[in-house]
Amino acid sequence: MVDADQTYVIVGGGLAGAKAAETLRAEGFTGRVILICDERDHPYERPPLSKGYLLGKEERDSVFVHEPAWYARNDIELHLGQTVDAIDRAAKTVRFGDDGTLVHYDKLLLATGAEPRRLDIPGTDLAGVHHLRRLAHADRLKGVLAALGRDNGHIVIAGAGWIGLEVAAAAREYGAEVTVVEPEPTPLHGVLGPELGNVFAELHREHGVRFRFGVRLTEIVGQDGMVLAARTDDGDEHPAHDVLAAIGVAPRVGLAEAAGLELADRAQGGGIVVDARLRTSDPDIHAAGDVASFPHELFGTRLRVEHWANALNGGPAAARAMLGREVTYDRVPYFFSDQYDVGMEYSGWAPPGSYDEVVIRGDAGKRHFIAFWLKEGRVLAGMNVNVWDVTDAIQRLIREQRVVDPEALADPAVALESLSA
Ligand SMILES: Cc1cc2nc3c(=O)[nH]c(=O)nc-3n(C[C@H](O)[C@H](O)[C@H](O)COP(=O)(O)OP(=O)(O)OC[C@H]3O[C@@H](n4cnc5c(N)ncnc54)[C@H](O)[C@@H]3O)c2cc1C
C-alpha cells in the first residue's frame, strides 16, 4: 500500500478512539497510528462503571477494550496521560504533553468524548461531591457506596437520567439510603417522555429509593470539607453524606473550537459538525463517538449520540472514511441499561414532542414489555424491557417507516417480523 509513509493521529482513547485504531490496522493501513489520551488507563468501556464494576461484580481487567500488549503488537503508538492542547490545521500538527511535543498528521480523528456537567451551586467543591465518568471516579464511588451501606449513610443523587438511576440501584444494593432529585416530573424524561419514565420511578421506589421530582438542588451544605445535607429550591433539606452530580455531559469540543472547526448549535445538542462520512469542516479531520454531531437522514435531523454503540460503530466508520472507503454513517441509535433485575434496550430517537402515540406490547406493570413511540402510525423508537432478541425487528420497523396497525403492534401474539416488509 502507498500509505506506509502516512501518519494518522487519534485524539481520545475511549471506545471510539480505540476501535478506530483497531479498524485502521484491520483494514490494512501500514502507516503510523498514534493514539493520544489524557487518561492514564488503557482505553476502556464505561458502561460497567455504573453497573457490574461499581458493584464489585466485574474485575478491573474486564473493562479494557484491548489487553495492554495489543497496542504494541499492532504497532499503535500509545501516549497515555497526555493532553492534546492544540491543532495547527495549516501545518497539520497536533501538540501534546507537558513538553509541547508536536506530531504531524495526514489524517486526524477527534474522539474526545464528553465530560460530566458540574453543579453550579454553593458546596459543589466539597470532597463528598462526586461525578462518574472515569475508572478513577468509579473506584472512588465504589468505596463511598460500600461505606455508606455499612454505616446507613445517605447519598443524594442529582439527576434521574441513566447514570443517576444506575448508581441509585448500585447504592441500594450496597445498602445506602438514596434520594434522587430531578427537576423534571419523571425520570429519564428527555428520552422516554412521561409515559415510560414512571415505570422506572416505580422500580426504584420498590427498592427503597426516594424521589423528589420538580425541584433542583440549590446548595450542598458542608462543614470542614464534609457534606452534611443538600438543599432544594422548595426549601427542603435532605440528609446527605455524599452527593453524586449526574446531570448530564457536555461534548469536549474545546480543541475543535480553538482550531476553527464548525460546531453544532447547543439547541441541537452541540458537538463537532460532521457529514455522513464523519468528516468535519476540515476534510483531513474526522470526529466520532460522543463528540460528533452527524446528520441522520431517517430522523431528518443532526444527532449527537452519547451511547456505547455509537462509539463502538462510529470509531470504525470514521477509520474507514479516513482510509477513503465509501462510508455512510446512518445507524439507528441504540443503547442499553441494567438496573436491579431489569434490563432494557432502546433503539431509535423519539424525544418528547416528536411522537403522538405510545404503544405497549406486554405488561409494563410487570416490567416485561416493549414500548413503541409512533408518529402518524410510523415507529420512531422502541424499548424492550426484560424482553430479548427483538432489537433487529424493532430497528427494521424504524428503518422501514411504514404505517403499522397499533393493535397488531400491541399484540404479543403477532410476530414483530410480520409487521415489516
Ligand atoms: C458510567 C457510565 C455508564 C455508561 N453506561 C452506558 C450504557 O449502559 N449504555 C450505553 O449505551 N452507554 C453508556 N455510557 C455511555 C458510553 O460509555 C459513551 O457513549 C462512550 O464512552 C463514548 O465513547 P467515546 O470514545 O466517544 O468518548 P469517551 O469514552 O468520553 O472517551 C474520550 C476520551 O478522550 C479523552 N480526551 C478528551 N479530550 C482530550 C484531549 N484534548 N487530549 C487527550 N485526550 C482527550 C477523554 O479523557 C477520554 O478518555 C455510559 C457512560 C458512563 C460514563
Side-chain angles (χ1 to χ4, degrees), residues 119-124 158 181 215-221 229-238:
L119 285 163
D120 187 17
I121 56 174
T124 195
V181 174
V215 294
R216 286 174 190 280
L217 284 190
T218 50
E219 184 179 354
I220 302 163
V221 185
R231 286 203 181 114
T232 40
D233 58 3
D234 55 356
D236 276 1
E237 195 168 284
H238 311 274

Coordinates of all heavy atoms in Angstrom, one line a residue, residues 119-124 158 181 215-221 229-238:
L119 N -22.4 20.8 39.0 CA -23.5 21.5 39.6 C -22.9 22.9 39.9 O -21.9 23.1 40.6 CB -23.9 20.9 41.0 CG -24.7 19.6 40.9 CD1 -24.6 18.9 42.2 CD2 -26.1 19.9 40.5
D120 N -23.6 23.9 39.5 CA -23.1 25.3 39.7 C -23.8 25.9 40.9 O -24.6 26.8 40.8 CB -23.4 26.1 38.4 CG -22.8 27.5 38.4 OD1 -21.9 27.7 39.3 OD2 -23.2 28.3 37.6
I121 N -23.5 25.3 42.1 CA -24.2 25.8 43.3 C -23.2 25.8 44.4 O -22.1 25.1 44.3 CB -25.4 24.9 43.7 CG1 -24.9 23.4 43.8 CG2 -26.5 25.0 42.7 CD1 -26.0 22.5 44.3
P122 N -23.4 26.5 45.5 CA -22.5 26.5 46.6 C -22.3 25.1 47.2 O -23.3 24.3 47.2 CB -23.2 27.4 47.7 CG -24.2 28.3 46.9 CD -24.6 27.5 45.7
G123 N -21.1 24.8 47.5 CA -20.8 23.5 48.1 C -20.4 22.4 47.0 O -20.0 21.3 47.4
T124 N -20.4 22.8 45.8 CA -20.1 21.8 44.7 C -18.6 21.3 44.8 O -18.3 20.2 44.3 CB -20.4 22.4 43.3 OG1 -20.5 21.4 42.4 CG2 -19.4 23.4 42.9
A158 N -28.2 13.9 42.2 CA -28.8 15.0 41.4 C -28.9 14.5 39.9 O -27.9 14.2 39.3 CB -27.9 16.3 41.4
V181 N -32.9 13.7 43.2 CA -33.5 15.0 43.0 C -33.5 15.2 41.5 O -32.5 15.2 40.8 CB -32.7 16.1 43.7 CG1 -33.3 17.4 43.4 CG2 -32.7 15.8 45.2
V215 N -38.0 19.6 41.5 CA -37.1 20.5 42.3 C -35.7 20.4 41.9 O -35.3 19.4 41.3 CB -37.3 20.2 43.8 CG1 -38.7 20.5 44.4 CG2 -36.9 18.8 44.2
R216 N -34.9 21.4 42.2 CA -33.5 21.4 41.9 C -32.7 21.6 43.2 O -33.1 22.2 44.1 CB -33.2 22.7 41.1 CG -33.6 22.7 39.7 CD -33.4 24.1 39.1 NE -34.1 24.0 37.8 CZ -33.6 23.4 36.7 NH1 -32.4 22.9 36.7 NH2 -34.3 23.4 35.6
L217 N -31.5 21.1 43.1 CA -30.5 21.4 44.3 C -30.1 22.8 44.2 O -29.8 23.3 43.1 CB -29.3 20.5 44.1 CG -29.4 19.0 44.5 CD1 -28.0 18.4 44.6 CD2 -30.1 18.8 45.9
T218 N -30.1 23.5 45.3 CA -29.6 24.9 45.4 C -28.3 25.0 46.2 O -27.6 26.0 46.0 CB -30.7 25.8 46.0 OG1 -31.1 25.2 47.2 CG2 -31.9 26.0 45.1
E219 N -28.0 24.1 47.1 CA -26.8 24.2 47.9 C -26.5 22.8 48.5 O -27.4 22.1 48.9 CB -27.1 25.2 49.0 CG -25.9 25.4 49.9 CD -26.1 26.4 51.0 OE1 -27.2 27.0 51.1 OE2 -25.1 26.6 51.8
I220 N -25.2 22.6 48.6 CA -24.7 21.4 49.3 C -24.1 22.0 50.6 O -23.1 22.7 50.5 CB -23.7 20.6 48.5 CG1 -24.4 20.2 47.2 CG2 -23.3 19.4 49.3 CD1 -23.5 19.7 46.1
V221 N -24.7 21.6 51.7 CA -24.2 22.2 53.0 C -23.1 21.3 53.5 O -23.2 20.1 53.5 CB -25.4 22.2 54.0 CG1 -25.0 22.9 55.3 CG2 -26.6 22.8 53.3
A229 N -25.6 17.9 54.1 CA -27.0 17.9 53.6 C -27.1 18.5 52.3 O -26.1 19.2 51.8 CB -27.9 18.7 54.6
A230 N -28.2 18.4 51.6 CA -28.4 19.0 50.3 C -29.7 19.7 50.3 O -30.7 19.2 50.8 CB -28.4 18.0 49.2
R231 N -29.7 21.0 49.9 CA -31.0 21.8 49.9 C -31.6 21.9 48.5 O -30.8 22.0 47.5 CB -30.7 23.2 50.4 CG -30.4 23.3 51.8 CD -30.6 24.7 52.3 NE -30.3 24.7 53.8 CZ -29.3 25.4 54.3 NH1 -28.5 26.2 53.5 NH2 -29.0 25.3 55.6
T232 N -32.9 21.9 48.4 CA -33.6 22.0 47.2 C -34.4 23.3 47.1 O -34.6 24.0 48.2 CB -34.5 20.8 46.9 OG1 -35.2 20.5 48.1 CG2 -33.8 19.6 46.4
D233 N -34.8 23.8 45.9 CA -35.3 25.1 45.8 C -36.8 25.2 46.3 O -37.4 26.3 46.3 CB -35.3 25.6 44.3 CG -36.0 24.7 43.4 OD1 -36.6 23.6 43.8 OD2 -35.9 24.9 42.1
D234 N -37.3 24.1 46.9 CA -38.6 24.3 47.6 C -38.3 24.5 49.1 O -39.2 24.5 49.9 CB -39.4 23.0 47.4 CG -38.7 21.7 47.8 OD1 -37.5 21.8 48.2 OD2 -39.3 20.6 47.8
G235 N -37.0 24.7 49.5 CA -36.7 25.0 50.9 C -36.4 23.8 51.7 O -35.9 23.9 52.9
D236 N -36.5 22.6 51.2 CA -36.3 21.3 51.9 C -34.8 21.1 52.1 O -34.0 21.5 51.2 CB -36.9 20.1 51.3 CG -38.4 20.0 51.6 OD1 -38.9 20.8 52.4 OD2 -39.0 19.0 51.2
E237 N -34.4 20.4 53.1 CA -33.0 20.0 53.3 C -33.0 18.5 53.4 O -33.8 17.9 54.2 CB -32.5 20.6 54.6 CG -31.0 20.6 54.7 CD -30.4 21.4 55.8 OE1 -30.4 22.7 55.6 OE2 -30.0 20.9 56.8
H238 N -32.2 17.8 52.6 CA -32.1 16.4 52.6 C -30.8 15.9 53.2 O -29.8 16.4 52.9 CB -32.2 15.9 51.2 CG -33.3 16.5 50.4 ND1 -34.6 16.1 50.4 CD2 -33.3 17.7 49.7 CE1 -35.4 16.9 49.7 NE2 -34.6 17.9 49.2

